[in-house]
Amino acid sequence: MKVPLIKIGDKLLVSIQTTIIDSVVASLREDITNEISTSGVKGLIIDLSGIDIIDSFFCRMINDIGHDARILGAKTVVVGIKPELAITLVQMGMEMRGVMTSLNLNKALEILK
Amino acid sequence: MKEKIYSVLVEEVGEFKAKAILRGAYHYFGIEKDKEAEDLLLPILERVRLSLNGENLKSSKVDGVMRRLQSMFPEVKRVQTEEEHIAIESEEDIRMAQMRAKIKAQALGFNGLDQTKIATTVAELTRNIIKYAGKGTVTLIPLLTDERALKIVAEDNGPGITNLSDVLSGTYDSKQGLGMGLLAIKRLMDSFEVETNSGVGTRIVVIKYIK
């Protein structure tokens, strides 16, 4: 199972539709960093609207991808986190460091303008 | 089973959507075409529910369809009362376990937020099992006393947690994130107990009450 990467202008959209396993995470990070460095996109949008559960592992993966992107000169915006997931993350004491968040794709595109 | 679900969906949402929804649900669990999967009835029904929600139907309509589907399968009722024992042996089992926990929580009457907390807890527990012990089990136990609750027991015969007090006080920062995971579980649940012996294994018992 591969997560598709979609290029929109100078931005890269990654839509994660289901909880993914470790091996997929490794290849996803590689794919994203490769794409950023070869095409020089300035913004990375990670769409989590299809995600029902965010555990600490998944949260760390998002942070790591944001970190990778920043080192390569791209800003990351995470969109589409469901309200109950936001509350759960806060209660767990998890933070999304190094990434910006926004409600939806439109707002993310504005942030990255 | 597939035929039964299909016939209800056709009546409720039409042939085209019924086909897409059912195919999607079976495909999600990697079930081959033309195969049945009786033991996956509940996870499949849960996927059907998610797909119906995705169709922008009214929630009362979705509830109605789900009630019709559930009434056809008496085994659904059993979910509310019976213990469920789930073997955790591969990463795929993490997703399966969290989905089963969510379904059970839903059947017991937990609200959406608490269902999410329970599923997240099971995700943390099962991931720790895979990461540190390789395999183990998770048991979902409905508590049907005055205070309804769900008890979750995660057991493995792995290396055990040697620095438990550091992990739980938050002073230990694991590179792989065990500390974060255990702390998260403690914060999400109403009751949290760990028994761990170096070289013997770990048993974690958590309880969430319905508020």
Side-chain angles (χ1 to χ4, degrees):
Chain A
M1 181 184 56
K2 230 169 145 59
V3 179
L5 308 184
I6 303 157
K7 236 182 104 192
I8 314 169
D10 59 351
K11 293 157 196 83
L12 187 64
L13 172 64
V14 184
S15 186
I16 303 176
Q17 288 302 323
T18 154
T19 307
I20 52 182
I21 59 174
D22 289 36
S23 51
V24 179
V25 169
S27 68
L28 178 63
R29 276 182 77 176
E30 210 169 295
D31 289 351
I32 290 174
T33 46
N34 277 341
E35 188 63 36
I36 294 174
S37 63
T38 51
S39 65
V41 293
K42 291 278 169 264
L44 171 67
I45 301 171
I46 304 177
D47 171 25
L48 300 182
S49 57
I51 292 291
D52 289 323
I53 298 295
I54 299 181
D55 61 6
S56 56
F57 165 82
F58 191 90
C59 193
R60 204 160 38 247
M61 173 197 80
I62 298 296
N63 286 338
D64 287 347
I65 290 175
H67 207 136
D68 293 342
R70 193 172 55 208
I71 290 170
L72 293 169
K75 285 182 189 162
T76 302
V77 183
V78 175
V79 305
I81 294 182
K82 296 194 173 81
E84 63 267 31
L85 297 188
I87 297 171
T88 304
L89 281 174
V90 171
Q91 193 175 356
M92 288 162 77
M94 302 301 301
E95 285 174 48
M96 291 220 164
R97 267 184 241 127
V99 299
M100 289 176 280
T101 49
S102 100
L103 264 186
N104 55 44
L105 201 55
N106 262 336
K107 295 210 169 92
L109 289 169
E110 266 170 43
I111 290 176
L112 291 172
K113 235 177 219 168
Chain B
M1 178 179 113
K2 207 178 196 172
E3 279 301 312
K4 274 185 176 176
I5 301 175
Y6 181 66
S7 63
V8 170
L9 288 178
V10 168
E11 279 175 40
E12 298 280 357
V13 295
E15 211 170 301
F16 180 72
K17 280 184 183 170
K19 213 170 254 176
I21 288 172
L22 197 58
R23 195 187 296 132
Y26 272 67
H27 181 74
Y28 185 84
F29 296 107
I31 305 162
E32 283 172 44
K33 232 178 163 186
D34 307 322
K35 283 268 167 62
E36 274 295 357
E38 304 285 346
D39 55 325
L40 290 181
L41 169 64
L42 284 157
I44 287 169
L45 287 183
E46 173 64 11
R47 287 308 299 180
V48 167
R49 194 182 62 79
L50 289 173
S51 307
L52 287 169
N53 280 338
E55 295 288 341
N56 290 325
L57 298 171
K58 276 195 195 133
S59 61
S60 58
K61 167 84 173 169
V62 175
D63 287 344
V65 178
M66 292 314 293
R67 262 199 301 277
R68 266 194 79 183
L69 286 168
Q70 287 165 352
S71 65
M72 286 193 316
F73 300 100
E75 50 266 54
V76 173
K77 283 271 169 287
R78 286 208 306 266
V79 179
Q80 296 180 335
T81 52
E82 274 183 12
E83 278 188 33
E84 215 168 314
H85 200 69
I86 307 165
I88 308 299
E89 282 158 6
S90 73
E91 271 196 85
E92 290 297 325
D93 295 331
I94 296 175
R95 190 165 69 175
M96 190 65 74
Q98 76 187 39
M99 181 158 278
R100 283 181 185 243
K102 187 158 205 251
I103 291 164
K104 203 158 199 84
Q106 195 189 356
L108 279 164
F110 282 95
N111 66 30
L113 178 57
D114 284 347
Q115 289 170 29
T116 300
K117 289 179 184 175
I118 286 165
T120 307
T121 298
V122 169
E124 300 285 355
L125 289 169
T126 49
R127 197 175 291 282
N128 281 347
I129 288 176
I130 293 294
K131 205 150 218 161
Y132 296 98
K135 61 181 179 158
T137 59
V138 165
T139 312
L140 307 173
I141 308 166
L143 301 179
L144 300 165
T145 47
D146 300 347
E147 284 186 296
R148 281 159 76 96
L150 180 63
K151 182 172 168 182
I152 304 165
V153 182
E155 288 168 296
D156 67 59
N157 300 316
I161 308 164
T162 46
N163 46 359
L164 185 66
S165 57
D166 290 344
V167 168
L168 291 180
S169 66
T171 50
Y172 170 76
D173 183 28
S174 145
K175 283 275 176 293
Q176 286 83 33
L178 170 74
M180 230 29 237
L182 275 185
L183 268 181
I185 294 167
K186 194 179 170 194
R187 288 171 178 150
L188 292 176
M189 295 288 109
D190 296 323
S191 151
F192 172 86
E193 278 168 36
V194 187
E195 269 172 56
T196 182
N197 283 303
S198 182
V200 180
T202 302
R203 178 183 151 95
I204 301 178
V205 182
V206 299
I207 300 176
K208 185 83 185 164
Y209 292 96
I210 296 181
K211 298 209 176 60

